[in-house]
Amino acid sequence: MSPIVKRKKEKFHLASKYWLLILTCVCVLLMVVTFMTNFTGGFLNNIGGYLFKPFQEGISEVGSFLTQKSDELKEMRVLMQENERLREENAALIAENIHLQQYKNELRELQDLLELAAAYEDYETTAARIIAKDTGNWYSSFLINKGTDDGIEVDMNVIADGGLVGRVSRVGANWARVTAIIDDASNVSSMVLSTYDNLIVSGGTELMFDNKLAFSQLLDREDLVMVGDKIVTSNISEKYLPGILIGHICQINMDANNLSKSGYITPVVDFEHLSEVLIIRQKKQGLEGM
């Protein structure tokens, strides 16, 4: 018995040239329909619009967002540049204001020195600026920017704020050291201006916390000296010219011997904020030799 052999169905096959012809006819037909009926302008456009509208809206929103952010970045960059410019202008104005304040302070100090020089017109004076001082709050010892090149000598008296500051203790070519009357080792022969009673004014930086100088050896047998009296350098002082104001009596005490008095003086010079001083060119020894 012979086996049954099934024959495979033959597949439908259309030549390529026929497919090309069919597609060409379809395209021509669609073109005719498009021009004659406006089919694509209505139905096809509606379908296309329905399909592509979400994409277009999304792209539009993304574009608007990016444009907005770009504008914001540009505006932020402009604001940052403007802020930087304003900071620079502000810093320049602050520096200028500081300089103007310094000039104002210097002018006021020079005016004070001129008034002080007028008050001591019997003496020849020269102005100097303080360029350094010892450690601490007080100007008990400091350097000035004048020296032997400017005619400055040791023991020349130094004044400021209307009163006695101290004397030149060392001198160089373009500098000099001033030892103030508040120095712990300072002793100044002085007198009460109203009674001419002599006394000794002693320095002490600890006393300056209370803005005081100490005085001692005051003989006031008639009890004429009072709180508020002016204390000036006396004519018997070895280093200081006579008549230079030191301060005012703020306290008087009777000593244990019941003969002499001691107490405290409020100095007229602000020994915490000195910057400019006047040096009296004459010296006590020079005046005595005249």
Side-chain angles (χ1 to χ4, degrees), residues 106-178:
E106 289 177 1
L107 179 60
R108 184 173 63 249
E109 291 169 356
L110 290 174
Q111 289 175 339
D112 292 341
L113 290 179
L114 287 174
E115 293 176 1
L116 181 59
Y120 293 93
E121 59 183 1
D122 292 338
Y123 300 130
E124 181 185 357
T125 60
T126 183
R129 176 176 292 277
I130 297 174
I131 56 176
K133 76 179 188 69
D134 290 346
T135 57
N137 296 329
W138 318 107
Y139 285 80
S140 59
S141 180
F142 55 87
L143 297 180
I144 57 175
N145 63 345
K146 295 289 180 68
T148 54
D149 291 346
D150 306 286
I152 305 303
E153 299 178 9
V154 172
D155 286 338
M156 284 185 171
N157 294 182
V158 180
I159 57 177
D161 293 339
L164 180 65
V165 173
R167 63 184 182 85
V168 176
S169 55
R170 291 179 59 192
V171 63
N174 56 1
W175 61 270
R177 176 172 291 277
V178 176

Side-chain angles (χ1 to χ4, degrees), residues 70-126:
S70 177
D71 293 340
E72 290 178 355
L73 288 175
K74 290 180 180 178
E75 185 176 351
M76 185 179 297
R77 189 179 297 110
V78 172
L79 290 175
M80 291 176 64
Q81 292 174 350
E82 181 68 14
N83 188 43
E84 182 64 23
R85 184 183 65 82
L86 290 175
R87 277 203 301 264
E88 292 176 355
E89 289 182 357
N90 186 53
L93 289 174
I94 291 174
E96 183 178 357
N97 186 51
I98 292 174
H99 291 155
L100 290 175
Q101 187 64 40
Q102 290 176 341
Y103 294 149
K104 181 180 178 181
N105 293 337
E106 289 177 1
L107 179 60
R108 184 173 63 249
E109 291 169 356
L110 290 174
Q111 289 175 339
D112 292 341
L113 290 179
L114 287 174
E115 293 176 1
L116 181 59
Y120 293 93
E121 59 183 1
D122 292 338
Y123 300 130
E124 181 185 357
T125 60
T126 183

Side-chain angles (χ1 to χ4, degrees), residues 155-159 164 166-168 239-242 244 278-284:
D155 286 338
M156 284 185 171
N157 294 182
V158 180
I159 57 177
L164 180 65
R167 63 184 182 85
V168 176
K239 303 292 184 180
Y240 293 99
L241 300 168
I244 302 176
L278 283 180
I279 300 101
I280 300 177
R281 289 184 176 275
Q282 296 95 324
K283 296 196 299 183
K284 182 65 178 290

